[in-house]
Amino acid sequence: MIRHAQVEDIVSIAKIHVDSWRSTYKNIVSEEVLNSLSYEEREELWKKVIPNGGVFVALDDTGNIVGFASGGKERTKQYQGYEGEVYAIYLLEDAQRKGFGRKLVQSVVNDLKINNIHSLLIWVLEDNPSCLFYEALGGQKIDSANITIGGVDYTEVAYGWKNL
């Protein structure tokens, strides 16, 4: 099941955010960076984000939150033809490859359409195995940029969908 995130979900979302970073980026980002991630810092972030909407959670059969996604207007206004953006999508490792990711993206897409936004992009680290997921959803590589995490430069790739 997918539903809008609620303030009561903050602790679960923060835990998923940190834990999924640690599992997804384990062989990409330094162990020092991954160990420095804090549940409390992520809780503070999501306390500010959730009340603004655009955040969805995925629940397993027992009602536990196993993933989340957030989205809204494209933040940089540098990509003509791409009005929306998936800001974040994270799933616990055990919840991956079970359809939750696709349903979370679709929830963000539906929310964007309600707000008359019919295109989107998402940024993802180039070495993230989830790139294949975005390609399977029909995303086209539209740009790349450098990002620094923990003093190390990485390449991020933007995947775009012109017509949702």
Side-chain angles (χ1 to χ4, degrees):
M1 183 175 108
I2 307 295
R3 65 166 170 77
H4 279 92
Q6 303 165 359
V7 173
E8 297 79 26
D9 301 328
I10 288 171
V11 171
S12 295
I13 291 171
K15 184 170 180 0
I16 291 166
H17 200 169
V18 169
D19 291 352
S20 63
W21 253 77
R22 288 179 177 158
S23 64
T24 300
Y25 300 121
K26 163 174 53 182
N27 296 315
I28 300 170
V29 176
S30 76
E31 195 172 315
E32 181 182 354
V33 167
L34 297 177
N35 289 337
S36 74
L37 298 174
S38 158
Y39 296 128
E40 294 78 16
E41 286 177 13
R42 297 300 172 173
E43 286 176 24
E44 291 304 313
L45 166 75
W46 291 106
K47 281 180 190 176
K48 296 173 190 166
V49 174
I50 288 174
N52 296 320
V55 183
F56 299 88
V57 292
L59 291 88
D60 66 11
D61 292 339
T62 63
N64 291 316
I65 297 173
V66 295
F68 71 91
S70 68
K73 289 184 178 180
E74 195 276 319
R75 296 176 279 194
T76 68
K77 298 180 178 45
Q78 293 180 11
Y79 295 93
Q80 183 138 1
Y82 297 95
E83 306 164 274
E85 183 174 351
V86 173
Y87 305 140
I89 179 169
Y90 292 99
L91 290 164
L92 293 174
E93 194 169 17
D94 290 345
Q96 294 174 10
R97 293 172 186 74
K98 295 183 179 175
F100 291 116
R102 184 176 295 271
K103 289 177 182 173
L104 283 167
V105 169
Q106 189 60 56
S107 295
V108 172
V109 166
N110 292 342
D111 196 49
L112 292 172
K113 287 180 178 178
I114 289 168
N115 291 293
N116 205 30
I117 296 173
H118 299 283
S119 59
L120 72 83
L121 59 78
I122 185 169
W123 287 95
V124 58
L125 286 179
E126 183 177 54
D127 294 334
N128 184 335
S130 295
C131 288
L132 297 173
F133 169 72
Y134 302 114
E135 291 170 9
L137 290 179
Q140 302 293 313
K141 288 183 184 179
I142 60 169
D143 199 7
S144 64
N146 289 330
I147 184 173
T148 303
I149 302 172
V152 177
D153 289 334
Y154 298 90
T155 300
E156 268 190 319
V157 176
Y159 286 92
W161 293 261
K162 281 246 184 206
N163 186 357
L164 298 176

